[in-house]
């Protein structure tokens, strides 16, 4: 299979299922799974909310860039990225070079329903999280598409069904 030597990388907005689907994909292909947010939290010893509170978003993005560069140098892994990883051009280039990038496309209204009440994501601690999702979608949809080789339309129902769709998408891509 064409891309088996490279990595599988998932990008998309918060709540699009990168971590859950990434874990399942890694299990399916029996590859190590990495999540850039988890690595940032492990290294710093504090939560993402605390990093945002103390160092601001810029501080978090600097940590994120270093972790993405490091994870992109690994081979044969599945990588779930934080929703804002594509904001940096360096990250976008590193991700694309390191393997097959898949954008998990979910509409803002669906994302809002999925993560309603979430306290762990600092960008959603606003009065109107739906408006925030719409804004992030407007800003980032183009960046995800620019970074990704493939787009997976994730509907309202995901889970096992999304995994099957993703595997099929990768299979079709590798045949071309
Ligand atoms: C962010 C998404 C989060 C995390 C941080 C910022 C973003 O990751 O990196 O809260 O800018 O969209 P998830 O997409 O895994 O929630």
């Amino acid at each position: 299979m064409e891309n088996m030597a490279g990595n599988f990388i998932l990008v998309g907005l918060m709540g699009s299922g990168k971590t859950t689907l990434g874990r399942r994909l890694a299990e399916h292909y029996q590859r190590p799974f990495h999540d850039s947010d988890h690595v940032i939290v492990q290294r710093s010893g504090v939560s993402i909310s605390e990093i945002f509170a103390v160092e601001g978003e810029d501080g978090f993005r600097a940590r994120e860039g270093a972790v993405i560069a490091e994870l992109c140098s690994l081979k044969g892994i599945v990588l779930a990225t934080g929703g804002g990883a594509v904001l940096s051009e360096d990250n976008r280039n590193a991700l694309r070079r390191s393997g097959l990038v898949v954008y998990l496309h979910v509409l803002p209204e669906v994302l809002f329903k999925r993560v309603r009440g979430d306290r762990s994501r600092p960008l959603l601690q606003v009065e109107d999280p739906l408006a925030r999702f719409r804004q992030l979608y407007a800003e980032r949809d183009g960046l995800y598409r620019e970074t990704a080789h493939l787009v997976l339309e994730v509907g309202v129902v995901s889970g096992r069904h999304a995994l099957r769709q993703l595997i099929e998408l990768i299979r079709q891509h590798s045949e071309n």
Side-chain angles (χ1 to χ4, degrees):
M1 196 178 179
E2 179 212 357
N3 232 294
M4 291 309 272
N7 299 321
F8 292 123
I9 298 140
L10 302 181
V11 300
L13 283 171
M14 294 175 275
S16 58
K18 297 169 300 237
T19 303
T20 309
L21 209 50
R23 263 190 220 292
R24 290 179 177 162
L25 193 68
E27 248 170 56
H28 177 83
Y29 287 123
Q30 306 215 317
R31 289 169 169 232
F33 173 71
H34 296 268
D35 181 307
S36 60
D37 281 344
H38 293 175
V39 175
I40 295 166
V41 168
Q42 265 169 10
R43 298 265 170 92
S44 63
V46 295
S47 69
I48 290 180
S49 300
E50 283 167 286
I51 299 174
F52 266 71
V54 175
E55 300 177 358
E57 182 169 345
D58 288 352
F60 174 76
R61 296 294 171 211
R63 288 175 183 268
E64 183 175 49
V67 166
I68 294 272
E70 194 182 315
L71 294 175
C72 282
S73 70
L74 300 176
K75 296 266 177 290
I77 64 159
V78 174
L79 172 61
T81 57
V86 298
L87 292 172
S88 134
E89 191 181 354
D90 284 349
N91 289 351
R92 295 199 295 275
N93 291 335
L95 292 170
R96 261 190 90 85
R97 272 199 303 269
S98 115
L100 186 72
V101 183
V102 183
Y103 171 25
L104 304 186
H105 178 253
V106 186
L107 291 172
E109 294 73 19
V110 176
L111 293 170
F112 168 68
K113 284 194 190 133
R114 281 197 191 186
V115 305
R116 215 177 346 205
D118 182 297
R119 292 266 154 264
S120 67
R121 291 170 164 117
L123 293 181
L124 297 181
Q125 308 317 304
V126 291
E127 207 158 293
D128 188 348
L130 176 57
R132 171 55 59 87
F133 264 125
R134 287 184 173 139
Q135 173 210 349
L136 292 174
Y137 183 88
E139 286 167 6
R140 296 180 182 173
D141 181 63
L143 295 175
Y144 294 131
R145 288 179 192 277
E146 181 189 317
T147 312
H149 301 95
L150 300 170
V151 179
L152 180 70
E153 295 296 336
V154 183
V156 181
V157 184
S158 57
R160 294 278 155 202
H161 181 58
L163 177 66
R164 279 197 299 276
Q165 284 180 314
L166 179 56
I167 292 166
E168 180 57 20
L169 195 68
I170 292 171
R171 196 186 60 75
Q172 281 170 10
H173 174 82
S174 68
E175 281 175 359
N176 292 332

